[in-house]
């Protein structure tokens, strides 16, 4: 397995509210784990939400020894993280209204189990680029209803309004996806700081033209900043079968 992970504050923000966690080694009963979160909230609340959500998820995954099904493990971890962030937002006025997106994935053989809340994304990259997750955002709902196309959605003034996030309500619905991956395929997990700055075809071209995923990851962040860098940028690239003969 080959892995690249990095966050960047971007060109416009002073605080990095994106938070990532990656492990190509077992985490609890999961064989590996990759997480991207994008926090929201005033002051440092978004930073707090993303960091502590990811840390709580990893803590629960590590301690949940009685379960082996990846989806059940992820569900349990996100439920506990949501309860923790929601409670903290009610206890501390400075954290009120905070929340975070989360997209997380684990690979078991050639099967990838993905959990998603919000508008951070996971893609499968091969000769094409395919978005696996579905955005929980106002513009995504408008696109799905036929009121807007994706190109218009990328520049819509309400594009940053998400309709589902960790920690905002007492309970949150998690979307799960299960996909099979081929030997030469890659996973991309990222925040909207990347996808708002680069179209999918631009992301695909950068990955496919790079010598390896480390070069691809650095070039993606560089290109997002060159196109404006209006938000924090998080990129996780995984080659599940990279390095295998």
């Amino acid at each position: 397995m080959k892995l690249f992970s990095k966050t960047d504050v971007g060109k416009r923000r002073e605080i990095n509210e994106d938070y990532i966690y990656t492990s190509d080694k077992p985490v609890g009963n999961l064989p590996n784990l990759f997480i991207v979160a994008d926090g929201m909230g005033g002051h440092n609340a978004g930073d707090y939400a993303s960091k502590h959500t990811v840390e709580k998820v990893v803590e629960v995954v590590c301690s949940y020894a009685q379960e082996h099904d990846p989806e059940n493990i992820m569900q349990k971890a996100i439920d506990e993280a949501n309860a923790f962030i929601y409670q903290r937002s009610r206890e501390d006025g400075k954290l009120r209204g905070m929340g975070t997106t989360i997209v997380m994935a684990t690979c078991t053989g050639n099967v990838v189990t993905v959990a998603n809340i919000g508008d951070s994304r996971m893609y499968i990259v091969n000769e094409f680029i395919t978005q696996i997750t579905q955005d929980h955002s106002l513009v995504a709902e408008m696109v799905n209803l036929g009121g807007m196309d994706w190109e218009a959605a990328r520049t819509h003034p309400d594009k940053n309004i998400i309709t589902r996030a960790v920690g905002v309500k007492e309970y949150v619905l998690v979307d799960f996806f299960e996909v099979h991956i081929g030997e030469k395929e890659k996973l991309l997990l990222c925040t909207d700081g990347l996808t708002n700055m680069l179209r999918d075809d631009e992301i695909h071209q950068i990955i496919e033209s790079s010598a390896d995923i480390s070069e691809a990851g650095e070039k993606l962040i560089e290109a997002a900043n060159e196109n404006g860098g209006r938000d924090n940028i998080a990129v996780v690239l995984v080659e599940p079968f990279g390095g295998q003969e």
Side-chain angles (χ1 to χ4, degrees):
M1 178 176 285
K2 293 182 179 178
L3 176 63
F4 170 89
S5 60
K6 188 173 182 178
T7 67
D8 188 272
V9 72
K11 298 293 188 184
R12 305 283 184 86
R13 301 292 179 89
E14 295 182 359
I15 296 172
N16 192 345
E17 296 182 330
D18 287 358
Y19 198 83
I20 59 179
Y21 172 89
T22 61
S23 176
D24 58 2
K25 303 291 191 295
V27 182
N29 286 335
L30 297 180
N32 43 65
L33 184 58
F34 316 102
I35 310 175
V36 167
D38 181 0
M40 62 182 193
H43 307 292
N44 294 331
D47 176 39
Y48 184 99
S50 59
K51 181 177 188 291
H52 285 82
T53 292
V54 172
E55 289 179 348
K56 178 60 74 171
V57 164
V58 173
E59 175 190 316
V60 175
V61 170
C62 288
S63 66
Y64 199 31
Q66 65 268 43
E67 181 60 63
H68 291 271
D69 180 75
E71 185 173 319
N72 290 341
I73 294 170
M74 290 178 169
Q75 181 74 63
K76 172 76 169 175
I78 292 174
D79 284 347
E80 292 203 21
N82 184 78
F84 174 79
I85 296 298
Y86 178 73
Q87 185 62 33
R88 289 293 293 121
S89 72
R90 291 166 65 86
E91 293 170 349
D92 188 337
K94 292 180 181 178
L95 300 176
R96 188 157 294 131
M98 70 173 171
T100 184
T101 71
I102 190 167
V103 58
M104 57 189 296
T106 187
C107 304
T108 308
N110 69 336
V111 177
V112 184
T113 306
V114 188
N116 180 63
I117 299 168
D119 62 355
S120 296
R121 297 177 178 177
M122 196 197 89
Y123 294 87
I124 298 287
V125 183
N126 44 44
E127 62 266 32
F128 307 103
I129 183 168
T130 305
Q131 182 179 337
I132 302 301
T133 54
Q134 297 178 2
D135 295 354
H136 304 133
S137 68
L138 191 62
V139 294
E141 291 183 1
M142 295 167 73
V143 170
N144 292 337
L145 291 170
M148 185 187 307
D149 61 32
W150 276 116
E151 192 56 37
R154 288 184 69 248
T155 57
H156 194 279
D158 294 332
K159 68 179 182 299
N160 292 325
I161 298 177
I162 59 175
T163 55
R164 204 187 299 179
V166 176
V168 174
K169 296 181 179 179
E170 189 173 2
Y171 302 101
V172 66
L173 180 63
V174 187
D175 281 357
F176 285 98
F177 306 88
E178 187 175 280
V179 292
H180 288 73
I181 187 166
E183 288 187 4
K184 295 185 178 180
E185 295 183 318
K186 304 173 185 72
L187 314 180
L188 168 65
L189 290 78
C190 60
T191 57
D192 64 349
L194 181 73
T195 54
N196 283 341
M197 296 293 100
L198 297 171
R199 299 190 310 271
D200 285 4
D201 63 307
E202 293 173 314
I203 293 171
H204 183 248
Q205 193 277 329
I206 289 171
I207 294 173
E208 289 297 283
S209 65
S210 297
D212 53 38
I213 59 172
S214 294
E215 180 182 305
E218 296 287 358
K219 284 186 173 180
L220 286 172
I221 291 170
E222 182 182 339
N225 278 322
E226 286 177 353
N227 283 6
R230 290 194 295 270
D231 202 350
N232 310 142
I233 306 153
V235 173
V236 172
L237 278 164
V238 186
E239 248 183 293
F241 302 104
Q244 294 186 10
E245 295 298 331

